[in-house]
Amino acid sequence: MKVERDVAGARAAGASLPRPLGFVPTMGALHAGHVALVSAARAECRAVAVSLYVNPLQFGAGEDFERYPRDFERDRAQFAAAGADLLFVPDTAMMLPVGYSTYVDVGPMADRFEGARRPGHFRGVATVVAKLLDIMRPDVLYLGQKDAQQTAVVRRMVRDLEIGVDVRIVPTVRDADGVALSSRNAYLSKDERHAAPSLHAMLQRVCDLMENGIDKGSAISQAGRMLSPPGTLEYLDVVDADSFEPIETLRPPAFIIAAARLGKTRLLDNLWIH
Ligand code: AMP
């Protein structure tokens, strides 16, 4: 696996790889969820590029940018073992040099749910993903279902800007107790980790209730009480998978989405109805 740290080197290395080229952008701190994206790319493409960049634009003031887990050697080894051909590891001087001033704003869908709680988050994601796509020029972009709103925002951007890449959504990888793998799970205390499976159980309950004819409002208020302490619910809703607008019935393509706060950590999860 080749490692490139600058834009020109990464662009040249990407251009020299066989096609189709799959691309998996990450912020590192790899777990089996990231590996599933690389494996999906490996299975479907002739070459696989990955990136590791802790994107400062997608962190708000007071969020965990400084303490976000970073372990380059471990990540490098995992990417190589998963079959990546090219790893792009830019630094911020390379991605957002002094004087950088261009941003991608995908509109109202980026202002709901995660966007409302993390102002500017999706603008930061879209801007950096657009830049990475222009550098790597992949044929297929792999994103995790775990970050459902991010998949909708990036797909909207790809459509609107005619970026010319297929976007694949890879199902969420979970621990045995249902908790979606996340680099941020490392922050959870024992009590918080103990409460975490109730988030997924709550989503499943919304799905079961609505499949049995219960209306969305009742399903959400009933299931919303299932979150175990010390968890507090931030949102629980059913949205159209493309627009991320709330919908009243469980018709595909949709996501049942939830976010909860466990101590200082926010956890996201969703069920994909497709
Ligand atoms: P991150 O490093 O957190 O930016 O995530 C990089 C990619 O991995 C994103 O497309 C995420 O949605 C995806 N991802 C994160 N966690 C999981 C998971 N548990 N299962 C599948 N994909 C995931």
Side-chain angles (χ1 to χ4, degrees), residues 205-228:
R205 179 67 64 84
V206 172
C207 186
D208 293 345
L209 289 169
M210 289 184 75
E211 278 178 351
N212 282 300
I214 309 291
D215 67 275
K216 181 174 96 169
S218 310
I220 285 177
S221 65
Q222 210 175 308
R225 292 193 288 268
M226 289 175 61
L227 193 66
S228 305

PDB file of all heavy atoms in Angstrom, residues 205-228:
ATOM      1  N   ARG A 205     -37.848  -0.820  18.161  1.00  0.00           N
ATOM      2  CA  ARG A 205     -39.209  -0.744  18.685  1.00  0.00           C
ATOM      3  C   ARG A 205     -40.076   0.184  17.822  1.00  0.00           C
ATOM      4  O   ARG A 205     -41.225  -0.132  17.518  1.00  0.00           O
ATOM      5  CB  ARG A 205     -39.186  -0.263  20.149  1.00  0.00           C
ATOM      6  CG  ARG A 205     -40.554  -0.120  20.805  1.00  0.00           C
ATOM      7  CD  ARG A 205     -41.297  -1.441  21.010  1.00  0.00           C
ATOM      8  NE  ARG A 205     -40.576  -2.288  21.943  1.00  0.00           N
ATOM      9  CZ  ARG A 205     -40.662  -2.229  23.271  1.00  0.00           C
ATOM     10  NH1 ARG A 205     -41.483  -1.367  23.836  1.00  0.00           N
ATOM     11  NH2 ARG A 205     -39.972  -3.039  24.036  1.00  0.00           N
ATOM     12  N   VAL A 206     -39.511   1.317  17.401  1.00  0.00           N
ATOM     13  CA  VAL A 206     -40.263   2.226  16.516  1.00  0.00           C
ATOM     14  C   VAL A 206     -40.677   1.468  15.264  1.00  0.00           C
ATOM     15  O   VAL A 206     -41.832   1.520  14.818  1.00  0.00           O
ATOM     16  CB  VAL A 206     -39.432   3.471  16.125  1.00  0.00           C
ATOM     17  CG1 VAL A 206     -40.158   4.290  15.056  1.00  0.00           C
ATOM     18  CG2 VAL A 206     -39.146   4.338  17.341  1.00  0.00           C
ATOM     19  N   CYS A 207     -39.735   0.719  14.712  1.00  0.00           N
ATOM     20  CA  CYS A 207     -40.002  -0.035  13.488  1.00  0.00           C
ATOM     21  C   CYS A 207     -41.113  -1.058  13.726  1.00  0.00           C
ATOM     22  O   CYS A 207     -42.090  -1.118  12.971  1.00  0.00           O
ATOM     23  CB  CYS A 207     -38.707  -0.727  13.043  1.00  0.00           C
ATOM     24  SG  CYS A 207     -38.857  -1.534  11.470  1.00  0.00           S
ATOM     25  N   ASP A 208     -41.000  -1.817  14.808  1.00  0.00           N
ATOM     26  CA  ASP A 208     -42.002  -2.851  15.100  1.00  0.00           C
ATOM     27  C   ASP A 208     -43.391  -2.232  15.291  1.00  0.00           C
ATOM     28  O   ASP A 208     -44.380  -2.719  14.750  1.00  0.00           O
ATOM     29  CB  ASP A 208     -41.630  -3.629  16.370  1.00  0.00           C
ATOM     30  CG  ASP A 208     -40.372  -4.468  16.175  1.00  0.00           C
ATOM     31  OD1 ASP A 208     -39.965  -4.665  14.999  1.00  0.00           O
ATOM     32  OD2 ASP A 208     -39.787  -4.897  17.183  1.00  0.00           O
ATOM     33  N   LEU A 209     -43.441  -1.143  16.062  1.00  0.00           N
ATOM     34  CA  LEU A 209     -44.742  -0.515  16.332  1.00  0.00           C
ATOM     35  C   LEU A 209     -45.366   0.002  15.043  1.00  0.00           C
ATOM     36  O   LEU A 209     -46.549  -0.230  14.768  1.00  0.00           O
ATOM     37  CB  LEU A 209     -44.578   0.630  17.342  1.00  0.00           C
ATOM     38  CG  LEU A 209     -44.257   0.210  18.788  1.00  0.00           C
ATOM     39  CD1 LEU A 209     -43.841   1.423  19.629  1.00  0.00           C
ATOM     40  CD2 LEU A 209     -45.461  -0.495  19.418  1.00  0.00           C
ATOM     41  N   MET A 210     -44.567   0.675  14.228  1.00  0.00           N
ATOM     42  CA  MET A 210     -45.135   1.244  12.992  1.00  0.00           C
ATOM     43  C   MET A 210     -45.527   0.143  12.018  1.00  0.00           C
ATOM     44  O   MET A 210     -46.524   0.267  11.306  1.00  0.00           O
ATOM     45  CB  MET A 210     -44.158   2.253  12.371  1.00  0.00           C
ATOM     46  CG  MET A 210     -44.074   3.542  13.198  1.00  0.00           C
ATOM     47  SD  MET A 210     -43.037   4.808  12.451  1.00  0.00           S
ATOM     48  CE  MET A 210     -44.097   5.406  11.119  1.00  0.00           C
ATOM     49  N   GLU A 211     -44.759  -0.944  12.007  1.00  0.00           N
ATOM     50  CA  GLU A 211     -45.139  -2.068  11.133  1.00  0.00           C
ATOM     51  C   GLU A 211     -46.450  -2.701  11.587  1.00  0.00           C
ATOM     52  O   GLU A 211     -47.134  -3.344  10.801  1.00  0.00           O
ATOM     53  CB  GLU A 211     -44.023  -3.118  11.095  1.00  0.00           C
ATOM     54  CG  GLU A 211     -42.938  -2.730  10.103  1.00  0.00           C
ATOM     55  CD  GLU A 211     -41.771  -3.699  10.044  1.00  0.00           C
ATOM     56  OE1 GLU A 211     -41.694  -4.617  10.896  1.00  0.00           O
ATOM     57  OE2 GLU A 211     -40.939  -3.530   9.156  1.00  0.00           O
ATOM     58  N   ASN A 212     -46.753  -2.506  12.870  1.00  0.00           N
ATOM     59  CA  ASN A 212     -48.028  -3.033  13.384  1.00  0.00           C
ATOM     60  C   ASN A 212     -49.132  -1.993  13.354  1.00  0.00           C
ATOM     61  O   ASN A 212     -50.141  -2.130  14.067  1.00  0.00           O
ATOM     62  CB  ASN A 212     -47.823  -3.590  14.793  1.00  0.00           C
ATOM     63  CG  ASN A 212     -47.156  -4.954  14.727  1.00  0.00           C
ATOM     64  OD1 ASN A 212     -47.699  -5.885  14.141  1.00  0.00           O
ATOM     65  ND2 ASN A 212     -45.960  -5.054  15.259  1.00  0.00           N
ATOM     66  N   GLY A 213     -48.940  -0.937  12.596  1.00  0.00           N
ATOM     67  CA  GLY A 213     -50.026   0.015  12.364  1.00  0.00           C
ATOM     68  C   GLY A 213     -50.108   1.176  13.333  1.00  0.00           C
ATOM     69  O   GLY A 213     -51.026   1.990  13.244  1.00  0.00           O
ATOM     70  N   ILE A 214     -49.170   1.250  14.294  1.00  0.00           N
ATOM     71  CA  ILE A 214     -49.187   2.376  15.239  1.00  0.00           C
ATOM     72  C   ILE A 214     -48.681   3.621  14.508  1.00  0.00           C
ATOM     73  O   ILE A 214     -47.715   3.540  13.751  1.00  0.00           O
ATOM     74  CB  ILE A 214     -48.279   2.077  16.463  1.00  0.00           C
ATOM     75  CG1 ILE A 214     -48.608   0.716  17.085  1.00  0.00           C
ATOM     76  CG2 ILE A 214     -48.323   3.208  17.489  1.00  0.00           C
ATOM     77  CD1 ILE A 214     -49.928   0.621  17.772  1.00  0.00           C
ATOM     78  N   ASP A 215     -49.306   4.776  14.741  1.00  0.00           N
ATOM     79  CA  ASP A 215     -48.868   5.980  14.029  1.00  0.00           C
ATOM     80  C   ASP A 215     -47.511   6.448  14.558  1.00  0.00           C
ATOM     81  O   ASP A 215     -47.105   6.093  15.671  1.00  0.00           O
ATOM     82  CB  ASP A 215     -49.911   7.097  14.139  1.00  0.00           C
ATOM     83  CG  ASP A 215     -50.032   7.587  15.557  1.00  0.00           C
ATOM     84  OD1 ASP A 215     -50.790   6.968  16.340  1.00  0.00           O
ATOM     85  OD2 ASP A 215     -49.337   8.566  15.913  1.00  0.00           O
ATOM     86  N   LYS A 216     -46.826   7.247  13.746  1.00  0.00           N
ATOM     87  CA  LYS A 216     -45.456   7.635  14.080  1.00  0.00           C
ATOM     88  C   LYS A 216     -45.359   8.330  15.430  1.00  0.00           C
ATOM     89  O   LYS A 216     -44.473   7.997  16.242  1.00  0.00           O
ATOM     90  CB  LYS A 216     -44.868   8.530  12.976  1.00  0.00           C
ATOM     91  CG  LYS A 216     -43.426   8.939  13.266  1.00  0.00           C
ATOM     92  CD  LYS A 216     -42.789   9.688  12.118  1.00  0.00           C
ATOM     93  CE  LYS A 216     -42.872  11.167  12.299  1.00  0.00           C
ATOM     94  NZ  LYS A 216     -42.020  11.914  11.318  1.00  0.00           N
ATOM     95  N   GLY A 217     -46.247   9.282  15.688  1.00  0.00           N
ATOM     96  CA  GLY A 217     -46.170  10.041  16.940  1.00  0.00           C
ATOM     97  C   GLY A 217     -46.232   9.126  18.164  1.00  0.00           C
ATOM     98  O   GLY A 217     -45.419   9.250  19.097  1.00  0.00           O
ATOM     99  N   SER A 218     -47.180   8.182  18.150  1.00  0.00           N
ATOM    100  CA  SER A 218     -47.324   7.276  19.297  1.00  0.00           C
ATOM    101  C   SER A 218     -46.117   6.347  19.391  1.00  0.00           C
ATOM    102  O   SER A 218     -45.621   6.058  20.484  1.00  0.00           O
ATOM    103  CB  SER A 218     -48.581   6.427  19.157  1.00  0.00           C
ATOM    104  OG  SER A 218     -49.679   7.233  18.872  1.00  0.00           O
ATOM    105  N   ALA A 219     -45.660   5.856  18.227  1.00  0.00           N
ATOM    106  CA  ALA A 219     -44.513   4.931  18.222  1.00  0.00           C
ATOM    107  C   ALA A 219     -43.281   5.611  18.813  1.00  0.00           C
ATOM    108  O   ALA A 219     -42.548   5.026  19.621  1.00  0.00           O
ATOM    109  CB  ALA A 219     -44.232   4.458  16.790  1.00  0.00           C
ATOM    110  N   ILE A 220     -43.076   6.859  18.424  1.00  0.00           N
ATOM    111  CA  ILE A 220     -41.898   7.584  18.894  1.00  0.00           C
ATOM    112  C   ILE A 220     -42.000   7.885  20.388  1.00  0.00           C
ATOM    113  O   ILE A 220     -41.030   7.726  21.134  1.00  0.00           O
ATOM    114  CB  ILE A 220     -41.693   8.859  18.047  1.00  0.00           C
ATOM    115  CG1 ILE A 220     -41.125   8.458  16.685  1.00  0.00           C
ATOM    116  CG2 ILE A 220     -40.782   9.865  18.747  1.00  0.00           C
ATOM    117  CD1 ILE A 220     -40.944   9.600  15.723  1.00  0.00           C
ATOM    118  N   SER A 221     -43.194   8.277  20.837  1.00  0.00           N
ATOM    119  CA  SER A 221     -43.259   8.612  22.267  1.00  0.00           C
ATOM    120  C   SER A 221     -43.150   7.353  23.117  1.00  0.00           C
ATOM    121  O   SER A 221     -42.511   7.367  24.174  1.00  0.00           O
ATOM    122  CB  SER A 221     -44.479   9.465  22.601  1.00  0.00           C
ATOM    123  OG  SER A 221     -45.627   8.727  22.382  1.00  0.00           O
ATOM    124  N   GLN A 222     -43.709   6.244  22.635  1.00  0.00           N
ATOM    125  CA  GLN A 222     -43.598   4.982  23.382  1.00  0.00           C
ATOM    126  C   GLN A 222     -42.153   4.478  23.395  1.00  0.00           C
ATOM    127  O   GLN A 222     -41.587   4.187  24.450  1.00  0.00           O
ATOM    128  CB  GLN A 222     -44.490   3.945  22.703  1.00  0.00           C
ATOM    129  CG  GLN A 222     -45.064   2.899  23.634  1.00  0.00           C
ATOM    130  CD  GLN A 222     -46.029   2.000  22.869  1.00  0.00           C
ATOM    131  OE1 GLN A 222     -46.947   2.475  22.191  1.00  0.00           O
ATOM    132  NE2 GLN A 222     -45.816   0.706  22.964  1.00  0.00           N
ATOM    133  N   ALA A 223     -41.534   4.398  22.223  1.00  0.00           N
ATOM    134  CA  ALA A 223     -40.165   3.854  22.130  1.00  0.00           C
ATOM    135  C   ALA A 223     -39.141   4.794  22.762  1.00  0.00           C
ATOM    136  O   ALA A 223     -38.136   4.342  23.318  1.00  0.00           O
ATOM    137  CB  ALA A 223     -39.815   3.609  20.658  1.00  0.00           C
ATOM    138  N   GLY A 224     -39.415   6.089  22.695  1.00  0.00           N
ATOM    139  CA  GLY A 224     -38.458   7.076  23.215  1.00  0.00           C
ATOM    140  C   GLY A 224     -38.171   6.906  24.698  1.00  0.00           C
ATOM    141  O   GLY A 224     -37.126   7.318  25.191  1.00  0.00           O
ATOM    142  N   ARG A 225     -39.100   6.244  25.413  1.00  0.00           N
ATOM    143  CA  ARG A 225     -38.904   6.042  26.854  1.00  0.00           C
ATOM    144  C   ARG A 225     -37.960   4.876  27.144  1.00  0.00           C
ATOM    145  O   ARG A 225     -37.615   4.627  28.295  1.00  0.00           O
ATOM    146  CB  ARG A 225     -40.269   5.786  27.517  1.00  0.00           C
ATOM    147  CG  ARG A 225     -41.168   7.018  27.513  1.00  0.00           C
ATOM    148  CD  ARG A 225     -42.369   6.826  28.435  1.00  0.00           C
ATOM    149  NE  ARG A 225     -43.350   5.881  27.906  1.00  0.00           N
ATOM    150  CZ  ARG A 225     -44.400   6.235  27.149  1.00  0.00           C
ATOM    151  NH1 ARG A 225     -44.596   7.483  26.839  1.00  0.00           N
ATOM    152  NH2 ARG A 225     -45.244   5.327  26.710  1.00  0.00           N
ATOM    153  N   MET A 226     -37.548   4.143  26.095  1.00  0.00           N
ATOM    154  CA  MET A 226     -36.730   2.938  26.326  1.00  0.00           C
ATOM    155  C   MET A 226     -35.256   3.224  26.567  1.00  0.00           C
ATOM    156  O   MET A 226     -34.501   2.321  26.927  1.00  0.00           O
ATOM    157  CB  MET A 226     -36.807   2.023  25.104  1.00  0.00           C
ATOM    158  CG  MET A 226     -38.137   1.356  24.931  1.00  0.00           C
ATOM    159  SD  MET A 226     -38.129   0.438  23.391  1.00  0.00           S
ATOM    160  CE  MET A 226     -36.801  -0.725  23.667  1.00  0.00           C
ATOM    161  N   LEU A 227     -34.828   4.426  26.289  1.00  0.00           N
ATOM    162  CA  LEU A 227     -33.397   4.722  26.420  1.00  0.00           C
ATOM    163  C   LEU A 227     -32.985   4.591  27.892  1.00  0.00           C
ATOM    164  O   LEU A 227     -33.599   5.202  28.762  1.00  0.00           O
ATOM    165  CB  LEU A 227     -33.122   6.141  25.906  1.00  0.00           C
ATOM    166  CG  LEU A 227     -31.665   6.498  25.696  1.00  0.00           C
ATOM    167  CD1 LEU A 227     -31.050   5.669  24.572  1.00  0.00           C
ATOM    168  CD2 LEU A 227     -31.548   7.994  25.367  1.00  0.00           C
ATOM    169  N   SER A 228     -31.947   3.781  28.146  1.00  0.00           N
ATOM    170  CA  SER A 228     -31.535   3.538  29.541  1.00  0.00           C
ATOM    171  C   SER A 228     -30.756   4.721  30.087  1.00  0.00           C
ATOM    172  O   SER A 228     -29.966   5.323  29.362  1.00  0.00           O
ATOM    173  CB  SER A 228     -30.641   2.302  29.626  1.00  0.00           C
ATOM    174  OG  SER A 228     -31.284   1.193  29.060  1.00  0.00           O
TER     175      SER A 228
END
